[in-house]
Amino acid sequence: MNDGDFFGRCLNFPKDEISNLTLRKLAPYIQDEKFNPKDVANVSKAAGSLCAWAIAMDQYAKVSRNVEPKRIKLAEAEENLR
C-alpha cells in the first residue's frame, strides 16, 4: 500500500454510492466466518481494521437500502401536511 492518502480515502469513501455489484462481490468475504476483525487482526492489526471497515460499509449499505424508501415516504408525507 503505497497510497499516501489511503486513510483519507477510506474516511471519505462514498458509502451512499456502494453498488449492488460491489455488495455481491464483497458477499463471499463477509459470509466467511474467518473474515472477522478479531481473527484477521491476529495476522495484521491493519488488516483487522480494514476488515472491520469493510463489514461496516456492507452493513451500512444494506441498512441504507432498507431505510431510504422510508425516508422518501416520510418526506412526501411531511410535504402533504404543509
Side-chain angles (χ1 to χ4, degrees):
M1 292 170 77
N2 201 15
D3 183 350
D5 192 37
F6 180 75
F7 184 69
R9 290 189 314 119
C10 287
L11 284 175
N12 297 313
F13 185 79
K15 62 184 178 277
D16 291 316
E17 298 173 16
I18 298 173
S19 70
N20 289 333
L21 176 61
T22 299
L23 290 177
R24 283 194 302 274
K25 288 181 177 182
L26 189 57
Y29 301 100
I30 298 295
Q31 295 167 0
D32 186 341
E33 64 184 39
K34 296 175 192 162
F35 189 74
N36 65 73
K38 183 180 176 187
D39 289 343
V40 174
N42 286 333
V43 178
S44 164
K45 290 186 182 198
S49 295
L50 285 174
C51 174
W53 179 83
I55 291 169
M57 291 297 103
D58 179 73
Q59 291 174 344
Y60 177 89
K62 290 175 181 172
V63 168
S64 178
R65 282 166 172 69
N66 185 32
V67 171
E68 188 59 28
K70 294 173 183 176
R71 284 185 190 158
I72 292 169
K73 285 184 180 180
L74 175 62
E76 289 171 354
E78 289 175 340
E79 185 63 33
N80 287 337
L81 290 175
R82 291 183 188 159

